[in-house]
Amino acid sequence: MKIRAAVLRQVGLPAPYAQSRPLSIEEVELDPPGPGEVLVRIRAAGLCHSDLSAINGDRLWPMPLVVGHEAAGEVVELGEGVQGSFQPGDHVVMIFRPSCGSCASCSVGRPALCGPGGESNAAGALLGGYRRLQIPGGADASARRLNHHLGCSAFAEYATVSARSLVRIDPDLAWHEAALFGCAVITGAGAVINTARVPAGASVAVVGLGGVGFSSLLAARAAGARMVVAVDRIPSKLERARELGATHCIDARDDDALEQVRSVTGGGVEFAFEMAGSVPALDFAYRITARGGTTVTAGLPHPDARWALPAVSLTAEERTLKGSYVGSSVPTRDIPRLIALYRAGVLPVDRLLSEQVSLDSINEALDRLALGESIRQVVMI
C-alpha cells in the first residue's frame, strides 16, 4: 500500500529545520505484515529527543530512514501467527525496543536488553531482520529500501511492525495521551519505579526536564519522595516543574547551581536522575548525589562522549551509578499500570503535552524541540 511518511535521507543538516527540512514528507510503499507482524494505523506520535538525535547525527542509523518511535494507533491487519494476541480494531502503544521473548535477557525478565531486538534496531530492521518500507518505482530493490527507526517508523500514516513492538491498551484513552506512554512515560517513570526503586520519603533530583525528565518528576512525587529538586536551563520548564510538585527548582545556568542543590538538600540527594543526554548533565547529577546515594541516567549522548568518573567515590562513598533503558520495564506489565496511575490522577502526564502538530509541519516542530521550547509535542496523523 502507498502511505505518507517522514523520510530522513541526510543527517546533520543545520537548524533552523524549518529551512533545511531534514524530514521530507513522501509517498512510500508499505508491505503487508509478515509472520509475527501487525499493520497499525498510526493515530498519534510523540516528538522525542531520540528523534532529534537521528536527525542531528548524535545517534547514527542506516539511511534513508522513516523516523518516529513513540506512538499509538489502531490494529488494521494481522500477519500469520498473531491471531489471539491482537485483533483488528485493538488500540496499541508502540515500544521502541522489541523483545524476542527467548534470549538470555528476556528469559530473566529484562526485555529492554533483548539482544535480537537491539540488533534489529541497529540494522534499521524489524525484529527478525525484515524491512517493509520501500521507495516507489525502480527495479533495484536494494536502492529502493527504506529503513525502520527503532522498529516503529511512526511518523507515517501506517506502520508494519513486529507484534513484539506493541502493547494493547484500553480504547478510551485519547490518542495524543496514549502515545506518550511508549517512550516518555515508560522511560522516565520506569527509571524511578523500576531502575532506582525510589522509596517513600526519599530525596530526589531530576536533571533535564524534557518529556522523560518530567515523567521522572511525576513518578518521584507518586512514589512519595519528600523532596524533588528540578534542574534545567529553561525558566518556563522550571515554572512548570513547580506546578507539578517540585519542591525546589534550580537554574542550571547559575554559576553556583551545584552549591544551591547541595545547600537545599543538606549535602546531596539520595537519588539523582540524569535525563538530558549530555555529559555535563551526568556529571552534575553525580556530583549532587549524596554519599551512599544512587545516580541513574537514561540520557543518550553521542556514542563518542566520555566522562571522567571520580572512581574512588564509588568505593569510599558507596555510590551506585546505574543506566536505565526503556525504564528497565516489562512493557506489557508496566504500560497498563502507568496508564492506571494516570487515570487515578497520581501521574498527570497529560500536563506534559505541548502542541499538537501535523505531519506536514514536523520540521517546524523539530525547531521547538531543539530549542527546548516544548515538553512533548505530538504529531496527529
Side-chain angles (χ1 to χ4, degrees), residues 41-53:
R41 170 71 170 97
I42 305 296
R43 297 295 185 178
L47 197 58
C48 172
H49 267 91
S50 291
D51 303 314
L52 185 61
S53 70

mmCIF file with all atom_site columns, all heavy atoms in Angstrom, residues 41-53:
data_model
loop_
_atom_site.group_PDB
_atom_site.id
_atom_site.type_symbol
_atom_site.label_atom_id
_atom_site.label_alt_id
_atom_site.label_comp_id
_atom_site.label_asym_id
_atom_site.label_entity_id
_atom_site.label_seq_id
_atom_site.pdbx_PDB_ins_code
_atom_site.Cartn_x
_atom_site.Cartn_y
_atom_site.Cartn_z
_atom_site.occupancy
_atom_site.B_iso_or_equiv
_atom_site.pdbx_formal_charge
_atom_site.auth_seq_id
_atom_site.auth_comp_id
_atom_site.auth_asym_id
_atom_site.auth_atom_id
_atom_site.pdbx_PDB_model_num
ATOM 1  N N   . ARG A 1 41 ? -2.554 1.425  11.999 1.00 0.00 ? 41 ARG A N   1
ATOM 2  C CA  . ARG A 1 41 ? -2.875 2.784  11.563 1.00 0.00 ? 41 ARG A CA  1
ATOM 3  C C   . ARG A 1 41 ? -2.405 3.733  12.650 1.00 0.00 ? 41 ARG A C   1
ATOM 4  O O   . ARG A 1 41 ? -2.917 3.729  13.767 1.00 0.00 ? 41 ARG A O   1
ATOM 5  C CB  . ARG A 1 41 ? -4.389 2.924  11.356 1.00 0.00 ? 41 ARG A CB  1
ATOM 6  C CG  . ARG A 1 41 ? -4.876 4.359  11.129 1.00 0.00 ? 41 ARG A CG  1
ATOM 7  C CD  . ARG A 1 41 ? -4.454 4.884  9.766  1.00 0.00 ? 41 ARG A CD  1
ATOM 8  N NE  . ARG A 1 41 ? -5.099 6.149  9.454  1.00 0.00 ? 41 ARG A NE  1
ATOM 9  C CZ  . ARG A 1 41 ? -4.537 7.355  9.643  1.00 0.00 ? 41 ARG A CZ  1
ATOM 10 N NH1 . ARG A 1 41 ? -3.322 7.443  10.168 1.00 0.00 ? 41 ARG A NH1 1
ATOM 11 N NH2 . ARG A 1 41 ? -5.184 8.446  9.299  1.00 0.00 ? 41 ARG A NH2 1
ATOM 12 N N   . ILE A 1 42 ? -1.381 4.523  12.357 1.00 0.00 ? 42 ILE A N   1
ATOM 13 C CA  . ILE A 1 42 ? -0.837 5.448  13.345 1.00 0.00 ? 42 ILE A CA  1
ATOM 14 C C   . ILE A 1 42 ? -1.828 6.593  13.554 1.00 0.00 ? 42 ILE A C   1
ATOM 15 O O   . ILE A 1 42 ? -2.299 7.208  12.603 1.00 0.00 ? 42 ILE A O   1
ATOM 16 C CB  . ILE A 1 42 ? 0.517  6.011  12.895 1.00 0.00 ? 42 ILE A CB  1
ATOM 17 C CG1 . ILE A 1 42 ? 1.508  4.878  12.585 1.00 0.00 ? 42 ILE A CG1 1
ATOM 18 C CG2 . ILE A 1 42 ? 1.089  6.942  13.971 1.00 0.00 ? 42 ILE A CG2 1
ATOM 19 C CD1 . ILE A 1 42 ? 1.876  4.042  13.766 1.00 0.00 ? 42 ILE A CD1 1
ATOM 20 N N   . ARG A 1 43 ? -2.107 6.881  14.797 1.00 0.00 ? 43 ARG A N   1
ATOM 21 C CA  . ARG A 1 43 ? -3.028 7.976  15.133 1.00 0.00 ? 43 ARG A CA  1
ATOM 22 C C   . ARG A 1 43 ? -2.304 9.167  15.759 1.00 0.00 ? 43 ARG A C   1
ATOM 23 O O   . ARG A 1 43 ? -2.697 10.314 15.542 1.00 0.00 ? 43 ARG A O   1
ATOM 24 C CB  . ARG A 1 43 ? -4.105 7.469  16.089 1.00 0.00 ? 43 ARG A CB  1
ATOM 25 C CG  . ARG A 1 43 ? -4.992 6.386  15.500 1.00 0.00 ? 43 ARG A CG  1
ATOM 26 C CD  . ARG A 1 43 ? -5.809 6.923  14.341 1.00 0.00 ? 43 ARG A CD  1
ATOM 27 N NE  . ARG A 1 43 ? -6.759 5.918  13.844 1.00 0.00 ? 43 ARG A NE  1
ATOM 28 C CZ  . ARG A 1 43 ? -7.617 6.139  12.852 1.00 0.00 ? 43 ARG A CZ  1
ATOM 29 N NH1 . ARG A 1 43 ? -7.632 7.325  12.249 1.00 0.00 ? 43 ARG A NH1 1
ATOM 30 N NH2 . ARG A 1 43 ? -8.437 5.194  12.460 1.00 0.00 ? 43 ARG A NH2 1
ATOM 31 N N   . ALA A 1 44 ? -1.274 8.902  16.549 1.00 0.00 ? 44 ALA A N   1
ATOM 32 C CA  . ALA A 1 44 ? -0.532 9.984  17.197 1.00 0.00 ? 44 ALA A CA  1
ATOM 33 C C   . ALA A 1 44 ? 0.883  9.499  17.464 1.00 0.00 ? 44 ALA A C   1
ATOM 34 O O   . ALA A 1 44 ? 1.091  8.336  17.820 1.00 0.00 ? 44 ALA A O   1
ATOM 35 C CB  . ALA A 1 44 ? -1.201 10.411 18.505 1.00 0.00 ? 44 ALA A CB  1
ATOM 36 N N   . ALA A 1 45 ? 1.856  10.416 17.293 1.00 0.00 ? 45 ALA A N   1
ATOM 37 C CA  . ALA A 1 45 ? 3.257  10.065 17.524 1.00 0.00 ? 45 ALA A CA  1
ATOM 38 C C   . ALA A 1 45 ? 3.958  11.224 18.214 1.00 0.00 ? 45 ALA A C   1
ATOM 39 O O   . ALA A 1 45 ? 3.929  12.352 17.729 1.00 0.00 ? 45 ALA A O   1
ATOM 40 C CB  . ALA A 1 45 ? 3.955  9.739  16.204 1.00 0.00 ? 45 ALA A CB  1
ATOM 41 N N   . GLY A 1 46 ? 4.568  10.944 19.364 1.00 0.00 ? 46 GLY A N   1
ATOM 42 C CA  . GLY A 1 46 ? 5.285  11.979 20.098 1.00 0.00 ? 46 GLY A CA  1
ATOM 43 C C   . GLY A 1 46 ? 6.617  12.303 19.458 1.00 0.00 ? 46 GLY A C   1
ATOM 44 O O   . GLY A 1 46 ? 7.260  11.449 18.840 1.00 0.00 ? 46 GLY A O   1
ATOM 45 N N   . LEU A 1 47 ? 7.036  13.548 19.619 1.00 0.00 ? 47 LEU A N   1
ATOM 46 C CA  . LEU A 1 47 ? 8.314  14.010 19.088 1.00 0.00 ? 47 LEU A CA  1
ATOM 47 C C   . LEU A 1 47 ? 9.303  14.073 20.243 1.00 0.00 ? 47 LEU A C   1
ATOM 48 O O   . LEU A 1 47 ? 9.125  14.851 21.191 1.00 0.00 ? 47 LEU A O   1
ATOM 49 C CB  . LEU A 1 47 ? 8.143  15.388 18.442 1.00 0.00 ? 47 LEU A CB  1
ATOM 50 C CG  . LEU A 1 47 ? 9.233  15.864 17.493 1.00 0.00 ? 47 LEU A CG  1
ATOM 51 C CD1 . LEU A 1 47 ? 9.417  14.900 16.337 1.00 0.00 ? 47 LEU A CD1 1
ATOM 52 C CD2 . LEU A 1 47 ? 8.892  17.252 16.959 1.00 0.00 ? 47 LEU A CD2 1
ATOM 53 N N   . CYS A 1 48 ? 10.362 13.258 20.138 1.00 0.00 ? 48 CYS A N   1
ATOM 54 C CA  . CYS A 1 48 ? 11.271 12.998 21.255 1.00 0.00 ? 48 CYS A CA  1
ATOM 55 C C   . CYS A 1 48 ? 12.701 13.384 20.862 1.00 0.00 ? 48 CYS A C   1
ATOM 56 O O   . CYS A 1 48 ? 13.041 13.424 19.678 1.00 0.00 ? 48 CYS A O   1
ATOM 57 C CB  . CYS A 1 48 ? 11.187 11.515 21.602 1.00 0.00 ? 48 CYS A CB  1
ATOM 58 S SG  . CYS A 1 48 ? 12.376 10.907 22.809 1.00 0.00 ? 48 CYS A SG  1
ATOM 59 N N   . HIS A 1 49 ? 13.557 13.621 21.853 1.00 0.00 ? 49 HIS A N   1
ATOM 60 C CA  . HIS A 1 49 ? 14.956 13.912 21.562 1.00 0.00 ? 49 HIS A CA  1
ATOM 61 C C   . HIS A 1 49 ? 15.652 12.751 20.861 1.00 0.00 ? 49 HIS A C   1
ATOM 62 O O   . HIS A 1 49 ? 16.659 12.967 20.172 1.00 0.00 ? 49 HIS A O   1
ATOM 63 C CB  . HIS A 1 49 ? 15.702 14.288 22.842 1.00 0.00 ? 49 HIS A CB  1
ATOM 64 C CG  . HIS A 1 49 ? 15.723 15.766 23.095 1.00 0.00 ? 49 HIS A CG  1
ATOM 65 N ND1 . HIS A 1 49 ? 14.754 16.403 23.826 1.00 0.00 ? 49 HIS A ND1 1
ATOM 66 C CD2 . HIS A 1 49 ? 16.575 16.737 22.671 1.00 0.00 ? 49 HIS A CD2 1
ATOM 67 C CE1 . HIS A 1 49 ? 15.008 17.700 23.857 1.00 0.00 ? 49 HIS A CE1 1
ATOM 68 N NE2 . HIS A 1 49 ? 16.099 17.936 23.173 1.00 0.00 ? 49 HIS A NE2 1
ATOM 69 N N   . SER A 1 50 ? 15.172 11.538 21.021 1.00 0.00 ? 50 SER A N   1
ATOM 70 C CA  . SER A 1 50 ? 15.756 10.428 20.276 1.00 0.00 ? 50 SER A CA  1
ATOM 71 C C   . SER A 1 50 ? 15.509 10.583 18.783 1.00 0.00 ? 50 SER A C   1
ATOM 72 O O   . SER A 1 50 ? 16.318 10.131 17.970 1.00 0.00 ? 50 SER A O   1
ATOM 73 C CB  . SER A 1 50 ? 15.190 9.097  20.772 1.00 0.00 ? 50 SER A CB  1
ATOM 74 O OG  . SER A 1 50 ? 15.639 8.815  22.081 1.00 0.00 ? 50 SER A OG  1
ATOM 75 N N   . ASP A 1 51 ? 14.384 11.193 18.415 1.00 0.00 ? 51 ASP A N   1
ATOM 76 C CA  . ASP A 1 51 ? 14.158 11.504 17.003 1.00 0.00 ? 51 ASP A CA  1
ATOM 77 C C   . ASP A 1 51 ? 15.129 12.583 16.538 1.00 0.00 ? 51 ASP A C   1
ATOM 78 O O   . ASP A 1 51 ? 15.722 12.491 15.458 1.00 0.00 ? 51 ASP A O   1
ATOM 79 C CB  . ASP A 1 51 ? 12.718 11.973 16.781 1.00 0.00 ? 51 ASP A CB  1
ATOM 80 C CG  . ASP A 1 51 ? 11.694 10.960 17.258 1.00 0.00 ? 51 ASP A CG  1
ATOM 81 O OD1 . ASP A 1 51 ? 11.864 9.760  16.943 1.00 0.00 ? 51 ASP A OD1 1
ATOM 82 O OD2 . ASP A 1 51 ? 10.738 11.349 17.953 1.00 0.00 ? 51 ASP A OD2 1
ATOM 83 N N   . LEU A 1 52 ? 15.318 13.595 17.373 1.00 0.00 ? 52 LEU A N   1
ATOM 84 C CA  . LEU A 1 52 ? 16.245 14.671 17.028 1.00 0.00 ? 52 LEU A CA  1
ATOM 85 C C   . LEU A 1 52 ? 17.670 14.142 16.916 1.00 0.00 ? 52 LEU A C   1
ATOM 86 O O   . LEU A 1 52 ? 18.436 14.581 16.048 1.00 0.00 ? 52 LEU A O   1
ATOM 87 C CB  . LEU A 1 52 ? 16.169 15.773 18.087 1.00 0.00 ? 52 LEU A CB  1
ATOM 88 C CG  . LEU A 1 52 ? 16.995 17.038 17.821 1.00 0.00 ? 52 LEU A CG  1
ATOM 89 C CD1 . LEU A 1 52 ? 16.544 17.719 16.546 1.00 0.00 ? 52 LEU A CD1 1
ATOM 90 C CD2 . LEU A 1 52 ? 16.884 17.988 19.009 1.00 0.00 ? 52 LEU A CD2 1
ATOM 91 N N   . SER A 1 53 ? 18.034 13.172 17.755 1.00 0.00 ? 53 SER A N   1
ATOM 92 C CA  . SER A 1 53 ? 19.389 12.634 17.711 1.00 0.00 ? 53 SER A CA  1
ATOM 93 C C   . SER A 1 53 ? 19.659 11.874 16.415 1.00 0.00 ? 53 SER A C   1
ATOM 94 O O   . SER A 1 53 ? 20.807 11.793 15.967 1.00 0.00 ? 53 SER A O   1
ATOM 95 C CB  . SER A 1 53 ? 19.640 11.724 18.915 1.00 0.00 ? 53 SER A CB  1
ATOM 96 O OG  . SER A 1 53 ? 18.909 10.519 18.827 1.00 0.00 ? 53 SER A OG  1
#
